[in-house]
Amino acid sequence: MTDSIGRLSIVGFGLIGASLAASLKRAGFSGEIVAVTRSDASAQQALEQGLVDHAVADIASGINEADIVLLAVPMLAMRTVMKDIAPVLSPRTVLTDAGSVKQSFIEDARAVFGSLRNIVPGHPIAGRELSGMAAADDKLYQGRRVLLTPTEETDAAAIARVSALWTLAGASVECLQAAHHDRVLAATSHLPHVLAFTMVDTLATQQEVEEIFRYAAGGFRDFTRIASSDPVMWRDICLTNREAVLASMDAFGEHLQLLRTAIDTSDGAAIESILQRARDARDAYSAE
Ligand code: NAD
């Protein structure tokens, strides 16, 4: 199926875009891969890394003759990039993305292109707290899920092409509704990141900050690893998935309050029951 993809252009050649190029090359992808970067210097860097066949900073020539264009830029840059490519995008090219929020991508695409026929919104459930092409990993998508959120308008052949690409990169592809995706990811990914950032920020602004970090144990490191993620990327996710992130934060706040009350009233039975319920749920999910 990927044999029919003669050229893939990746706009935004950071961790996610460069890891896809690396994974496809490793899997023997037969087409050409073009990296579209923001500067000539990063285009040069992408070429030197040996993951792509061409690299350019000029978006129009970068997407020329592409069978698939994949956008892997931060969420709030999606619309700008779409506007840049709209005048030159061939009607036969499939446009897809790797962004973490799907409804906002669809809104952007509808506003810029009108028709969503050849547009396949996507999100690899794989990543790291590192960014940039230097962090590219040719096994990043191995055994991971990629969620596609096509609309009713999306052409079945376009979905099949994008699925084939991710499958070759080692992922398994599932389709779901964009609104559902955004709610689930708000709870499972966006809320944990918000909490990790807030946790570190809370401690970092306390007076004993040096002591706190000096004595930080493994649990603190595990829990806060994701607070090393890129602030621009996470700012954009918070703003583009605003409603769902707020709902998850509110639900968390209510549960935190329950535990706070139990501690405040020295209600040992309540504390233990909350912790036991959480532990059972975590163990059941880890055993899956
Ligand atoms: P990154 O910072 O490593 O790469 C982003 C790239 O986009 C950079 O090369 C940057 O120069 C480029 N860029 C930024 N603004 C641009 C613009 N206006 N025009 C052209 N290029 C621009 O980030 P990443 O981790 O690769 O994330 C890319 C996308 O993938 C984001 O939408 C993110 O939400 C999504 N995503 C990230 C992860 C993760 O764990 N990092 C996981 C799944 C999805």
Side-chain angles (χ1 to χ4, degrees):
M1 180 74 195
T2 54
D3 291 349
S4 66
I5 306 169
R7 177 174 284 198
L8 163 70
S9 295
I10 301 176
V11 181
F13 205 67
L15 170 74
I16 292 296
S19 294
L20 178 61
S23 306
L24 291 173
K25 285 284 177 199
R26 181 171 172 265
F29 178 60
S30 58
E32 279 183 337
I33 305 181
V34 183
V36 183
T37 60
R38 279 200 290 185
S39 70
D40 291 334
S42 6
Q44 187 58 34
Q45 207 187 329
L47 272 180
E48 283 165 10
Q49 231 180 332
L51 303 177
V52 294
D53 302 286
H54 306 280
V56 286
D58 173 50
I59 203 160
S61 66
I63 66 158
N64 191 27
E65 313 242 318
D67 297 293
I68 298 185
V69 172
L70 176 122
L71 307 187
V73 298
M75 287 311 305
L76 286 176
M78 291 286 183
R79 194 178 288 215
T80 312
V81 172
M82 286 179 195
K83 284 183 184 160
D84 289 344
I85 63 175
V88 282
L89 192 72
S90 156
R92 68 167 192 86
T93 304
V94 172
L95 179 69
T96 186
D97 79 311
S100 305
V101 183
K102 300 307 353 139
Q103 287 177 106
S104 95
F105 175 82
I106 291 171
E107 278 161 29
D108 288 342
R110 191 179 294 287
V112 175
F113 301 108
S115 162
L116 299 176
R117 210 174 73 79
N118 259 347
I119 293 178
V120 183
H123 177 207
I125 309 298
R128 297 171 72 182
E129 66 279 16
L130 303 170
S131 359
M133 69 175 94
D137 176 357
D138 65 4
K139 296 191 189 68
L140 189 68
Y141 305 116
Q142 208 68 51
R144 307 306 291 266
R145 284 197 175 89
V146 170
L147 303 177
L148 302 182
T149 64
T151 67
E152 284 172 4
E153 286 171 55
T154 314
D155 189 41
I159 302 172
R161 279 185 140 189
V162 173
S163 297
L165 201 65
W166 284 112
T167 305
L168 184 65
S172 63
V173 176
E174 285 177 31
C175 288
L176 79 168
Q177 223 212 346
H180 186 203
H181 166 281
D182 289 355
R183 273 196 310 277
V184 171
L185 268 293
T188 56
S189 167
H190 308 170
L191 178 65
H193 278 82
V194 164
L195 296 184
F197 280 119
T198 311
M199 168 87 167
V200 177
D201 189 43
T202 306
L203 298 187
T205 50
Q206 288 183 2
Q207 275 181 345
E208 316 83 30
V209 58
E210 281 191 18
E211 251 201 321
I212 289 173
F213 287 116
R214 187 167 343 121
Y215 297 133
F220 178 83
R221 270 177 230 286
D222 289 350
F223 183 72
T224 58
R225 177 182 56 78
I226 53 178
S228 292
S229 304
D230 184 42
V232 170
M233 174 179 143
W234 283 97
R235 174 202 66 192
D236 288 10
I237 291 171
C238 290
L239 291 175
T240 50
N241 200 22
R242 192 170 162 272
E243 297 303 324
V245 169
L246 287 176
S248 285
M249 288 174 77
D250 289 347
F252 179 79
E254 282 166 26
H255 280 255
L256 189 65
Q257 194 53 44
L258 283 179
L259 185 57
R260 192 191 185 287
T261 304
I263 295 172
D264 188 33
T265 56
S266 299
D267 185 346
I271 297 171
E272 194 180 330
S273 122
I274 292 169
L275 303 187
Q276 187 66 50
R277 197 169 60 218
R279 180 182 156 165
D280 290 347
R282 174 72 170 86
D283 288 351
Y285 135 85
S286 303
E288 267 176 24

